[in-house]
């Protein structure tokens, strides 16, 4: 394995961690707002409010690790992405900051229509905004003007592949979160909220798999080169579907909810790493690969310092999240 591939694998692992942990938090916020506005099940509201905690803001560390690694290890790619996505990235950052303030001021324990609405909607908007980077990486939306790359937004928002990725980002967040909340409710022995959030998980499971297929086949038209590479690694996506099937089966059988959530994690692990593996060596198709940075002087010391910081941040974050989850279960 090339050293560059190893570095990308580490960064991709941190991004996968962010995908799972942030999705739990984002979706829970949306379900909380939905519960307040529909007045359907006060037990679900109590359960989600008990689940929400500032500890979930540790998910931002996973994303910070990814950004830090990109800046230090792939500075040229980072420059072009930051320039193209300055406005969406800025909006996403403001929404993330708002969620942090929402937690620290104790707003999760009360219902203020405007604040709770912004909190719930931010859980949908943030993954949509962040998914723009993955979409742009497939090429076809950027034009080169001098030494800069500029995005064609009209072309972007009228492209079927781009729209399919946005849909997938939304339904995936809601599915991952609902599956975890089902497990959380089962460990809390809260039968009323368990049955409600279990319905959410089953409801969003089908749109998630259809959106995944929509992304897969729309990529065939948008980037045939990447699509062919995905076909050659089809076993990873078959494994993803197998884990999805296991999760849905367990949810329908009303038991082993912990294994159902682990299966969802497996589903997204194989899909996410299958996508990332077949995307290599491109960071920004067709302009930039992971080897492009060889033309940019990045001292070896900087590389190892960046790796050290990544490990230093990653391990404590995982430990704190696991300890929090297990403490919640034992209450």
């Amino acid at each position: 394995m090339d050293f560059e591939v190893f570095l990308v694998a580490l960064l991709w692992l941190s991004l996968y961690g962010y995908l799972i942990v942030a999705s739990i938090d984002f979706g829970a916020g949306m379900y909380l707002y939905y519960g307040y506005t529909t007045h359907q099940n006060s037990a679900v509201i109590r359960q989600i409010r008990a689940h929400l905690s500032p500890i979930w803001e540790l998910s931002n560390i996973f994303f910070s690790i990814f950004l830090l690694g990109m800046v230090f290890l792939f500075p040229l790619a980072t420059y072009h992405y930051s320039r193209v996505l300055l406005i969406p990235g800025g909006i996403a950052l403001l929404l993330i900051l708002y969620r942090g303030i929402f937690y620290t001021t104790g707003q999760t324990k009360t219902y203020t229509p405007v604040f709770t609405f912004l909190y719930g909607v931010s859980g949908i908007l943030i993954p949509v905004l962040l998914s723009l980077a993955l979409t742009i990486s497939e090429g076809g939306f950027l034009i080169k003007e001098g030494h800069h790359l500029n995005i064609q937004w009209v072309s972007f928002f009228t492209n079927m592949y781009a729209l399919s990725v946005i849909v997938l980002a939304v339904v995936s967040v809601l599915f991952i979160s609902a599956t975890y909340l089902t497990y959380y409710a089962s460990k809390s022995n809260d039968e009323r909220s368990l049955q409600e959030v279990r319905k959410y998980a089953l409801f969003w499971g089908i749109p998630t798999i259809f959106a995944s297929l929509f992304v897969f086949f729309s990529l065939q038209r948008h980037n045939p080169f990447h699509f062919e590479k995905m076909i050659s690694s089809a076993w990873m996506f078959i494994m993803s579907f197998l884990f999805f099937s296991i999760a849905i089966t367990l949810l329908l059988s009303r038991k082993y909810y912990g294994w159902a959530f682990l299966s969802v994690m497996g589903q997204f692990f194989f899909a996410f790493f299958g996508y990332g593996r077949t995307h290599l060596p491109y960071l920004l198709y067709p302009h930039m690969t992971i080897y492009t940075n060889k033309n940019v002087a990045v001292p070896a010391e900087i590389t190892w310092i960046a790796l050290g910081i990544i490990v230093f941040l990653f391990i404590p974050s995982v430990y704190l999240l696991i300890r929090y989850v297990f403490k919640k279960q034992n209450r």
Side-chain angles (χ1 to χ4, degrees):
M1 178 187 293
D2 291 344
F3 186 57
E4 288 83 358
V5 175
F6 172 73
L7 295 176
V8 170
L10 284 179
L11 296 181
W12 207 242
L13 180 63
S14 68
L15 196 57
Y16 168 75
Y18 180 75
L19 165 70
I20 298 298
V21 179
S23 291
I24 293 172
D25 183 40
F26 292 158
M30 194 64 204
Y31 289 128
L32 180 66
Y33 177 71
Y34 175 76
Y36 275 130
T37 54
T38 59
H39 309 287
Q40 285 191 345
N41 195 329
S42 58
V44 173
I45 295 175
R46 289 195 304 271
Q47 190 70 29
I48 294 176
R49 283 170 56 180
H51 153 78
L52 292 175
S53 164
I55 193 72
W56 292 106
E57 290 301 288
L58 280 175
S59 63
N60 295 328
I61 292 183
F62 291 103
F63 190 59
S64 298
I65 290 171
F66 176 78
L67 291 180
L68 181 68
M70 287 295 294
V71 169
F72 277 104
L73 306 176
F74 303 104
L76 193 58
T78 304
Y79 166 76
H80 286 294
Y81 273 114
S82 61
R83 190 176 182 278
V84 169
L85 297 174
L86 179 62
I87 295 177
I91 295 173
L93 178 60
L94 289 174
L95 292 174
I96 290 172
L97 290 174
Y98 173 78
R99 293 179 69 84
I101 294 172
F102 191 87
Y103 277 125
T104 56
T105 56
Q107 291 295 322
T108 56
K109 306 305 179 185
T110 59
Y111 174 58
T112 307
V114 175
F115 293 155
T116 307
F117 169 76
L118 290 174
Y119 175 70
V121 171
S122 67
I124 299 300
L125 291 179
I126 292 171
V128 167
L129 291 169
L130 296 181
S131 71
L132 301 183
L134 288 179
T135 308
I136 290 170
S137 72
E138 291 294 342
F141 305 111
L142 302 178
I143 55 173
K144 194 165 186 177
E145 297 177 351
H147 297 292
H148 302 297
L149 295 172
N150 294 318
I151 188 168
Q152 299 173 298
W153 285 113
V154 174
S155 174
F156 181 91
F157 285 111
T158 55
N159 181 275
M160 290 304 296
Y161 173 71
L163 296 177
S164 67
V165 172
I166 290 174
V167 172
L168 179 61
V170 173
V171 296
S172 295
V173 162
L174 296 172
F175 178 54
I176 293 171
S177 182
T179 310
Y180 175 80
L181 290 173
T182 302
Y183 166 62
Y184 183 78
S186 71
K187 298 302 290 186
S188 303
N189 297 316
D190 188 340
E191 189 63 27
R192 285 185 63 195
S193 62
L194 169 62
Q195 295 309 318
E196 190 67 24
V197 292
R198 174 181 161 274
K199 291 177 184 177
Y200 296 163
L202 289 170
F203 177 83
W204 290 109
I206 302 304
T208 298
I209 207 65
F210 275 108
S212 300
L213 291 172
F214 188 26
V215 169
F216 186 75
F217 289 110
S218 60
L219 182 62
Q220 182 180 17
R221 296 185 60 185
H222 184 74
N223 189 343
F225 175 76
H226 188 189
F227 178 80
E228 291 299 325
K229 293 187 69 176
M230 291 176 72
I231 293 295
S232 66
S233 295
W235 68 272
M236 299 190 76
F237 302 100
I238 293 173
M239 287 296 297
S240 176
F241 181 75
L242 177 61
F243 274 108
F244 168 79
S245 301
I246 293 172
I248 293 298
T249 300
L250 292 175
L251 289 170
L252 288 171
S253 65
R254 301 172 185 266
K255 57 184 179 180
Y256 304 125
Y257 295 116
W259 286 107
F261 177 66
L262 288 176
S263 296
V264 170
M265 290 182 63
Q267 170 195 345
F268 282 90
F269 177 87
F270 279 101
F272 196 64
F273 276 84
Y275 173 86
R277 179 190 180 200
T278 55
H279 199 291
L280 292 176
Y282 290 99
L283 292 173
L284 184 57
Y285 185 87
H287 306 284
M288 205 169 301
T289 73
I290 59 176
Y291 306 109
T292 303
N293 289 276
K294 288 185 175 181
N295 299 323
V296 180
V298 180
E301 293 83 0
I302 296 297
T303 300
W304 288 111
I305 289 173
L307 286 175
I309 294 173
I310 288 171
V311 173
F312 178 76
L313 291 174
F314 186 81
I315 294 177
S317 302
V318 172
Y319 168 74
L320 288 172
L321 281 171
I322 292 175
R323 190 179 71 169
Y324 171 78
V325 171
F326 277 97
K327 282 179 69 176
K328 278 285 189 178
Q329 290 174 7
N330 294 329
R331 287 182 180 177

